[in-house]
Amino acid sequence: AQSVTQPDIHITVSEGASLELRCNYSYGATPYLFWYVQSPGQGLQLLLKYFSGDTLVQGIKGFEAEFKRSQSSFNLRKPSVHWSDAAEYFCAVVLINTDKLIFGTGTRLQVFP
Amino acid sequence: EAGVTQFPSHSVIEKGQTVTLRCDPISGHDNLYWYRRVMGKEIKFLLHFVKESKQDESGMPNNRFLAERTGGTYSTLKVQPAELEDSGVYFCASSLRGANTEAFFGQGTRLTVV
């Protein structure tokens, strides 16, 4: 079945540690790829997106993501996590010739001091 | 510049009642989307307006849900009559040129049907 998978429901890291959140998609053609973050009481905010070109994408707040076609993955990374990064992170795709986001189930990040 | 605004932020209603959610998109954004997140599950697309026209309503669950966008500005999503399974967080988003550009989300309306 076509889907966006975020295998980690909940991740806990220490402040200053590195972070990688996983995202896989199962669609025939490479879709447009996005990462959104939702902080408590806030709406979803776009961190970064990939349409084409360089497979390593830089985003806001020090985040980056790497598109790997062979693995159908678009994992989100940050070298050093800050306490303010505690939030829920959503991977999403837009299929070519459509105009709607398809989301994964989200990964909740907890950061310990 | 104001972002996407949703009202109310929370709503608790009884099964069988009617609720209307409102979304004010960013000024000038022709594209407006409604999404819903049922607890513990993914955020799912409901429908998409381009100006006042429904471009895609394939995600609307059933005919108890009615969405309108008056004059291509704000949008309302009415649930009538509400059922228990309608509980969740309803998000509105707007974008300038479609979903392959940045979609700006509101903070959501948490609907609880009891």
Side-chain angles (χ1 to χ4, degrees), chain A residues 50-68:
Chain A
Y50 174 78
F51 292 164
S52 64
D54 192 345
T55 56
L56 186 62
V57 181
Q58 301 299 318
I60 62 171
K61 303 185 180 188
F63 285 91
E64 66 178 27
E66 185 172 13
F67 168 59
K68 293 185 178 180

Side-chain angles (χ1 to χ4, degrees), chain A:
Chain A
Q2 297 182 325
S3 65
V4 178
T5 302
Q6 293 181 249
D8 304 304
I9 297 172
H10 188 197
I11 284 182
T12 301
V13 299
S14 297
E15 190 169 21
S18 63
L19 173 70
E20 182 169 24
L21 303 182
R22 296 181 289 166
C23 174
N24 292 88
Y25 62 91
S26 58
Y27 295 95
T30 300
Y32 300 134
L33 299 158
F34 303 78
W35 275 98
Y36 280 85
V37 60
Q38 185 182 20
S39 299
Q42 305 294 315
L44 283 81
Q45 181 182 23
L46 180 67
L47 285 175
L48 46 79
K49 59 182 184 266
Y50 174 78
F51 292 164
S52 64
D54 192 345
T55 56
L56 186 62
V57 181
Q58 301 299 318
I60 62 171
K61 303 185 180 188
F63 285 91
E64 66 178 27
E66 185 172 13
F67 168 59
K68 293 185 178 180
R69 185 186 305 275
S70 61
Q71 298 176 19
S72 296
S73 70
F74 189 56
N75 294 350
L76 182 71
R77 301 194 296 246
K78 186 169 185 178
S80 177
V81 170
H82 188 262
W83 64 266
S84 61
D85 293 325
E88 191 159 19
Y89 292 79
F90 296 91
C91 180
V93 307
V94 170
L95 303 181
I96 307 301
N97 296 323
T98 72
D99 213 1
K100 58 191 177 188
L101 288 157
I102 301 171
F103 287 90
T105 49
T107 298
R108 184 168 295 281
L109 175 66
Q110 193 170 9
V111 181
F112 280 115

